[in-house]
Amino acid sequence: MEQKIQNEPLPLRSRLTPIEIERIRADFPILEQVIDGNRLIYLDNAATTQKPRVVINAISDYYRKYNANIHRGLHYLSERATEMYEHTREHAARFLGGVDPSEVIFTRGTTEAINLVAYTWGEQNIREGDEIVITEMEHHANLVPWVQLAKRKHAVLKRIPITPDGYLDLTNINEIITPRTKLLAISHMSNVLGTINHVADLAAKAHEHGAVVLADGAQAAPHLAVDVKALGVDFYALSSHKMLGPTGVGILYGRRDLLQEMPPFNLGGEMIREVRFDNVTWADLPYKFEGGTPNIADVVAFDAALHYLEEIGMDRLRQHEMDLTRYTIEQLSAIPGIEIQGPKEVEQRGGAISFTDADLHPHDISTYLDAKGIAIRAGHHCAQPLMRVLGKIATARASIYVYNNEADINALIKALRGMRRYFGL
Ligand code: PLP
């Protein structure tokens, strides 16, 4: 099975021009900050992204003009708030390649979306001896729920290993995905290695055996045009805050027939059809999974983030990030002592670039860079098992987004070189 992804580069004119990037940067008030005399250089986008003015304004507008509880009021504000909330759902359904809005469930984020599947579909369908397949590069959000489900059900957790250069090692895939596989849960893009996994092929293989497929799209949805039907997945999870939107909002896409069979997750108001003292029936999709008052303002503002991304164009965004990732990898590789984790081919990876220094702890790298106004992340990146596979206790990670430019990378590289001099290396 071929793991490489064919990703045709766009013609030059389809790239974001330096002027467009400057305009994009100007939309993000936080980037204007100067910290201790240094211009803020934000390279921690895999953790969370900054918000453009349109998103910040959408939150404030909502509270100024429309705030009300949704789905239950018969007054103007409640109707407007409901309309806006449902509008985001329809928008997200189009953003995911044109799914039915009833298949789009709002959650607090990717973590909650995956837990929803584990506690509903998982509880209902996984039995003793069944196999759940994950990969060695999973974030804890797509790992801990399955470790625990496997324990509760006496099921078997199997994993697809990685190659030394950070791809999935599919050599023994026919022994890993088998007729006993009930679930394949796989990240679309790794938050540590940047690897873009070949989800469509793996989903097809899992489906041959009747398994259900969940993709963790927390890192992919912000950076790639995602079409969940083309990927062939049954569930897809993402977080708004990693794609210019507010925190506290995520999406679980689920195939309608699966969602219909699943029991609800949060029990209470809004998710019921009829309640009696001795019996309860559930609301239709998607409301069955949205018990209680949701995060209305932030869902409404997520719509502005989706618009913003679409106006740039996901293809042009991706091309810009590939160009910048290539540049970053070239520049980092030229620094003595620095080792980059994950694929080097930018067509196969996103812009989360983990690296280590032979002589310095990642936390010291991050602290040194922080003093220069450069925000990166250091640690295990919520992927402790992957760190063990890599033989590292931690890595430093610079991760880019659409508002980053070559000047940001130049500042990072200059600071890393300065750091090595400072420590006498
Ligand atoms: N999956 C991946 C690959 C991630 O990178 C993250 C966050 O870093 C998550 C899941 C969890 O996302 P959230 O914290 O928004 O629920």
Side-chain angles (χ1 to χ4, degrees):
M1 191 188 256
E2 185 52 50
Q3 161 73 6
K4 298 283 164 75
I5 291 174
Q6 292 313 316
N7 213 328
E8 291 296 321
L10 290 179
L12 271 178
R13 70 179 182 292
S14 304
R15 287 179 151 91
L16 290 172
T17 63
I19 292 171
E20 283 176 298
I21 295 163
E22 278 315 301
R23 271 197 219 122
I24 290 171
R25 293 174 70 81
D27 288 334
F28 292 78
I30 209 167
L31 298 181
E32 290 159 18
Q33 271 191 75
V34 173
I35 300 173
D36 289 341
N38 296 300
R39 176 175 76 86
L40 168 67
I41 294 169
Y42 188 74
L43 292 168
D44 193 17
N45 294 288
T48 199
T49 57
Q50 299 304 344
K51 317 306 169 199
R53 222 168 256 108
V54 283
V55 170
I56 300 167
N57 291 346
I59 299 174
S60 146
D61 260 21
Y62 174 80
Y63 283 121
R64 283 169 198 276
K65 300 187 201 151
Y66 307 105
N67 180 44
N69 212 331
I70 53 168
H71 293 142
R72 34 189 119 160
L74 290 174
H75 55 81
Y76 171 78
L77 287 184
S78 177
E79 279 167 13
R80 282 293 289 133
T82 305
E83 250 170 53
M84 291 163 91
Y85 182 86
E86 290 303 325
H87 180 79
T88 305
R89 194 192 309 278
E90 284 159 24
H91 196 170
R94 290 195 299 279
F95 191 84
L96 290 173
V99 299
D100 194 285
S102 69
E103 298 177 309
V104 172
I105 293 155
F106 288 118
T107 64
R108 283 193 299 136
T110 303
T111 304
E112 191 178 66
I114 296 173
N115 274 277
L116 190 161
V117 177
Y119 279 105
T120 58
W121 181 90
E123 283 298 327
Q124 205 173 39
N125 291 282
I126 298 293
R127 305 207 198 300
E128 186 167 349
D130 285 348
E131 294 182 355
I132 299 170
V133 175
I134 53 160
T135 80
E136 280 181 346
M137 61 171 83
E138 296 311 315
H139 185 282
H140 294 166
N142 194 33
L143 179 57
V144 181
W146 309 125
V147 170
Q148 294 305 105
L149 178 67
K151 274 196 183 151
R152 288 198 298 278
K153 298 287 183 168
H154 304 288
V156 180
L157 191 70
K158 286 168 94 176
R159 52 185 192 266
I160 305 174
I162 59 167
T163 63
D165 48 357
Y167 293 105
L168 290 181
D169 181 351
L170 303 175
T171 319
N172 296 321
I173 196 69
N174 290 332
E175 278 104 76
I176 300 171
I177 299 179
T178 71
R180 285 185 300 283
T181 308
K182 284 288 173 318
L183 174 73
L184 170 68
I186 180 182
S187 56
H188 192 178
M189 187 193 287
S190 161
N191 66 314
V192 177
L193 305 169
T195 319
I196 302 172
N197 288 321
H198 220 188
V199 170
D201 278 0
L202 287 165
K205 184 146 221 42
H207 284 152
E208 279 171 25
H209 298 297
V212 159
V213 179
L214 175 144
D216 170 354
Q219 294 296 338
H223 305 284
L224 308 174
V226 172
D227 180 336
V228 292
K229 294 250 174 72
L231 287 176
V233 293
D234 304 297
F235 295 109
Y236 195 89
L238 60 82
S239 296
S240 143
H241 72 95
K242 293 191 195 280
M243 46 202 299
L244 309 182
T247 49
V249 177
I251 282 178
L252 173 68
Y253 155 78
R255 229 178 64 203
R256 198 179 158 76
D257 55 324
L258 291 175
L259 292 175
Q260 254 160 348
E261 291 301 314
M262 284 153 54
F265 184 41
N266 283 322
L267 309 181
E270 284 304 295
M271 46 72 67
I272 49 85
R273 182 189 300 280
E274 196 183 4
V275 180
R276 294 176 183 273
F277 284 120
D278 58 354
N279 195 33
V280 184
T281 52
W282 312 131
D284 288 336
L285 292 176
Y287 311 110
K288 179 171 91 172
F289 292 105
E290 293 181 10
T293 302
N295 186 355
I296 308 166
D298 292 316
V299 166
V300 167
F302 184 34
D303 184 60
L306 293 176
H307 269 297
Y308 192 89
L309 290 172
E310 282 167 344
E311 249 167 55
I312 293 170
M314 292 307 283
D315 287 348
R316 301 180 83 212
L317 179 150
R318 168 77 180 133
Q319 185 63 55
H320 170 60
E321 292 187 6
M322 282 203 291
D323 292 345
L324 208 52
T325 302
R326 183 180 298 108
Y327 182 65
T328 310
I329 290 177
E330 274 167 19
Q331 296 294 314
L332 273 177
S333 311
I335 303 177
I338 298 270
E339 183 195 351
I340 297 171
Q341 304 296 323
K344 308 290 179 299
E345 299 151 288
V346 296
E347 290 78 11
Q348 313 297 328
R349 61 165 299 140
I353 305 163
S354 283
F355 60 94
T356 48
D357 184 303
D359 305 294
L360 295 168
H361 193 284
H363 286 160
D364 294 332
I365 299 177
S366 179
T367 307
Y368 184 92
L369 293 177
D370 179 50
K372 307 279 173 204
I374 303 171
I376 65 152
R377 183 149 294 238
H380 54 64
H381 314 291
C382 296
Q384 286 180 355
L386 172 60
M387 289 295 134
R388 282 187 206 104
V389 170
L390 296 175
K392 309 278 176 204
I393 38 163
T395 68
R397 180 186 70 189
S399 53
I400 60 173
Y401 208 18
V402 63
Y403 38 69
N404 289 119
N405 58 14
E406 267 192 29
D408 291 342
I409 304 306
N410 290 340
L412 169 74
I413 299 301
K414 186 170 167 219
L416 286 172
R417 288 186 180 279
M419 172 189 75
R420 289 188 59 81
R421 275 197 305 276
Y422 177 84
F423 285 106
L425 300 167

